[in-house]
Amino acid sequence: MKKAKLAVGYGSICGGCDVAFTDVGTKLADLAEIAEIVYWPAVVDGKIEQLEAVKNIDVGVYFGAVRTDEHETVLRLLEEKSDVLVAFGTCSCYGGIPGLGNVETKESLLTTAYSNAPNTRAEGVPSLEEITIEELKMPELRDYTSSPADLVEFDVFVPGCPPPVQSVIDLIDFVRDYRENGNIPDALFLAKEGTVCEYCEREKPDKISIDKVMRVHESDLNEEECFLSQGVLCLGPVTRAGCGDEPRCTYRNMPCRGCFGPTPKIRDQGTKFLSSIASSIMLGKEKQISEEELMRLLSEGFIDPVGLFYRFALPVAIINRKHQEK
Amino acid sequence: MMTFEPKITAFLCKWCGYAGADMAGTSRIKYPPTVTPVRFPCTGRIDLSHILEALRESDGVLIAGCHTPNDCHYIRGNYQAFKRITVLKTFLKQMGVNPKRVRLDWISASEGRKFAETISAFTDELRDLGPFVMEQSEVVQ
Ligand code: SF4
Ligand code: SF4
Ligand code: SF4
């Protein structure tokens, strides 16, 4: 049987998704058996011309968010040539960590990175425009990061930052199934329908009332008890399950930060969490303190709502980029 | 020159805010025609996504319900709204949206005058701020 042609293209990535692939160990040999890698910069050194030259791709996989024209070009090429298009990693599904950049303007991001940060001394800021030196081109940073899933239609979504080993194994099995039976799924999520909480075995009280929001290092964490009831913010209630029957973070005594993105029933992960967690502050005890005091508790508890609640899915939120109002 | 007339969406709890608006009407108190009321069972029912969705179509969102501490028909729905909107304002500030576009007031069923005055004051404030255009990276379905 002919091998399936596999291509992996990149947008704005950290490299973690490549590492996640190698994490499956010997299973990678299975992939080599069933698939011919026609393009994958980290594995077979690819230049964009190579991707342009490929005629048909069976499975096209995209890592990362879209922040430059170059990223979108790769995404569109994959879309056009692939039978099955896979969004791999939270960046690709929801914009992910690079999407957090949408809380700033591109000018302020670049000035911070190149001249204002204490460890940089560059004068002037590169890459506010496209730069071409001989035949090398540095693409311009766009005004904002987009979630690739808003630009093209994916057949398979593999959330997770990065996706866990099991998801990669499932994806490899899926490539095998596609090669043998030609099955093309419809918006298949390699994840679960429910929330992380449904898989977390920490003891949950019926009602959660938080007197003070605690940082992980500030509290003596009880490893058996729900983080929220201990005042530590955990995004389990609004996050899609699928990082393991034992959720990757909560089983290692760290709260869930929401990397699997929103559950299918939630429109906006951050807003949903904000709505519910804000009401847990001093729940049932509001009348014992003044409105000013309550307001102080809230503003001290949530200094950075974007960073906390939208860490992985800002580009798909209702308000998803920086405004410039007075 | 056309002056800018802001659009306000008002989420009103049926026991107080909405009854207050009714009172303004039956008492024939004048206020600007800038407001589209939406009746909620309680301000505590208002999810923050309701407010953000309403901001897509309006320049400001008013939430009005029963006075704290003890007027809420459901005991502390008004506090839920108070807490949510406080955090929402921090979020709006981070995203560069003027938090004044979301306004919370306690207006009881008998306060028709206060309702009218609130609408007038909010309309003036929004006139100063100008129209709100929700900048979006992509059209999100
Ligand atoms: S999903 Fe996470 S691991 Fe993968 S590229 Fe994005 S930031 Fe990196
Ligand atoms: S909130 Fe976090 S700690 Fe609590 S049950 Fe859910 S996942 Fe577990
Ligand atoms: S517990 Fe939450 S943050 Fe951790 S891996 Fe699972 S979904 Fe991601």
Side-chain angles (χ1 to χ4, degrees):
Chain A
M1 191 179 278
K2 258 178 65 188
K3 288 187 177 186
K5 281 192 190 167
L6 179 88
V8 179
Y10 299 154
S12 169
I13 55 163
C14 74
C17 281
D18 280 314
V19 177
F21 250 93
T22 50
D23 244 10
V24 297
T26 50
K27 187 88 184 170
L28 265 185
D30 290 10
L31 182 66
E33 231 167 72
I34 55 171
E36 175 200 352
I37 297 165
V38 293
Y39 181 77
W40 186 346
V43 175
V44 290
D45 181 35
K47 303 276 179 287
I48 185 98
E49 292 75 20
Q50 273 163 263
L51 182 59
E52 280 164 352
V54 182
K55 289 250 155 46
N56 299 304
I57 297 168
D58 290 305
V59 182
V61 184
Y62 191 79
F63 292 177
V66 171
R67 184 88 212 213
T68 65
D69 290 350
E70 187 92 0
H71 297 154
E72 187 165 345
T73 305
V74 172
L75 179 65
R76 300 272 177 211
L77 280 171
L78 284 175
E79 180 198 29
E80 186 192 309
K81 293 168 191 264
S82 309
D83 237 14
V84 185
L85 192 61
V86 181
F88 190 87
T90 293
C91 291
S92 189
C93 301
Y94 309 107
I97 301 249
L100 256 186
N102 285 6
V103 75
E104 288 295 338
T105 58
K106 73 164 174 183
E107 287 78 11
S108 70
L109 286 177
L110 290 169
T111 349
T112 305
Y114 287 100
S115 23
N116 291 352
N119 56 350
T120 50
R121 250 179 276 147
E123 280 167 31
V125 177
S127 153
L128 274 173
E129 288 141 37
E130 188 175 280
I131 303 172
T132 312
I133 304 169
E134 293 175 22
E135 72 273 26
L136 274 181
K137 219 184 335 174
M138 270 282 287
E140 176 191 346
L141 211 57
R142 285 188 178 174
D143 286 339
Y144 49 80
T145 302
S146 314
S147 154
D150 276 341
L151 301 172
V152 299
E153 258 180 59
F154 285 103
D155 303 301
V156 184
F157 294 85
V158 191
C161 182
V165 168
Q166 190 55 50
S167 296
V168 182
I169 293 174
D170 292 349
L171 182 64
I172 294 174
D173 287 343
F174 156 78
V175 174
R176 183 197 314 278
D177 180 50
Y178 167 79
R179 175 172 155 263
E180 285 165 8
N181 309 309
N183 288 337
I184 299 181
D186 178 28
L188 166 78
F189 268 84
L190 297 188
K192 302 262 187 355
E193 296 282 305
T195 67
V196 170
C197 290
E198 287 167 32
Y199 294 81
C200 170
E201 278 176 6
R202 289 173 172 258
E203 234 168 89
K204 315 162 182 76
D206 291 337
K207 212 188 209 168
I208 289 170
S209 174
I210 299 173
D211 290 351
K212 183 176 183 290
V213 175
M214 306 282 274
R215 311 285 179 255
V216 174
H217 66 272
E218 287 173 335
S219 53
D220 268 331
L221 285 174
N222 174 342
E223 298 199 15
E224 311 293 321
E225 195 191 324
C226 171
F227 283 106
L228 286 176
S229 64
Q230 302 182 66
V232 174
L233 300 181
C234 176
L235 268 75
V238 292
T239 303
R240 200 190 251 271
C243 64
D245 288 339
E246 301 180 342
R248 279 194 292 194
C249 303
T250 61
Y251 268 72
R252 286 164 190 81
N253 210 24
M254 281 298 279
C256 171
R257 290 142 305 150
C259 87
F260 260 61
T263 66
K265 289 192 188 112
I266 294 176
R267 161 67 187 87
D268 182 321
Q269 191 184 16
T271 307
K272 189 80 205 163
F273 193 69
L274 229 154
S275 283
S276 61
I277 202 66
S279 44
S280 297
I281 300 292
M282 295 291 277
L283 185 68
K285 295 183 259 184
E286 297 94 347
K287 298 178 189 178
Q288 295 165 13
I289 56 174
S290 65
E291 280 183 27
E292 287 72 43
E293 179 70 4
L294 194 52
M295 217 183 246
R296 191 185 60 79
L297 276 179
L298 289 158
S299 47
E300 282 174 6
F302 306 103
I303 299 162
D304 174 18
V306 175
L308 257 172
F309 307 143
Y310 286 97
R311 191 175 299 177
F312 297 97
L314 187 60
V316 295
I318 302 173
I319 292 193
N320 63 3
R321 52 180 286 210
K322 180 85 170 177
H323 288 63
Q324 308 260 20
E325 291 203 303
K326 40 184 171 166
Chain B
M1 197 183 85
M2 282 276 288
T3 51
F4 159 65
E5 276 305 283
K7 267 204 233 160
I8 299 171
T9 303
F11 292 155
L12 310 172
C13 102
K14 73 172 191 182
W15 304 99
C16 291
Y18 199 85
D22 257 356
M23 178 59 80
T26 48
S27 319
R28 298 178 185 279
I29 305 170
K30 279 209 171 127
Y31 60 87
T34 45
V35 58
T36 308
V38 183
R39 191 164 169 248
F40 271 70
C42 173
T43 50
R45 175 63 187 88
I46 302 167
D47 191 277
L48 294 180
S49 60
H50 296 134
I51 299 177
L52 296 183
E53 291 289 359
L55 266 184
R56 267 186 215 268
E57 306 295 333
S58 20
D59 304 298
V61 178
L62 170 74
I63 297 99
C66 311
H67 285 266
T68 52
N70 292 322
D71 283 2
C72 176
H73 191 82
Y74 305 100
I75 304 170
R76 44 185 173 69
N78 50 359
Y79 276 105
Q80 301 310 349
F82 176 83
K83 291 188 285 185
R84 286 178 187 150
I85 290 164
T86 306
V87 188
L88 180 71
K89 283 175 179 266
T90 315
F91 167 73
L92 290 177
K93 237 182 268 170
Q94 275 188 295
M95 296 309 288
V97 178
N98 194 312
K100 280 194 188 146
R101 293 197 184 272
V102 176
R103 175 172 174 146
L104 173 69
D105 278 287
W106 307 132
I107 298 173
S108 78
S110 59
E111 291 176 320
R113 185 156 302 281
K114 182 169 179 192
F115 179 81
E117 283 166 5
T118 303
I119 299 297
S120 303
F122 196 22
T123 302
D124 287 344
E125 215 166 55
L126 292 172
R127 255 195 219 115
D128 281 352
L129 281 179
F132 179 63
V133 183
M134 195 180 281
E135 303 262 9
Q136 289 201 303
S137 60
E138 241 63 54
V139 185
V140 188
Q141 301 84 20

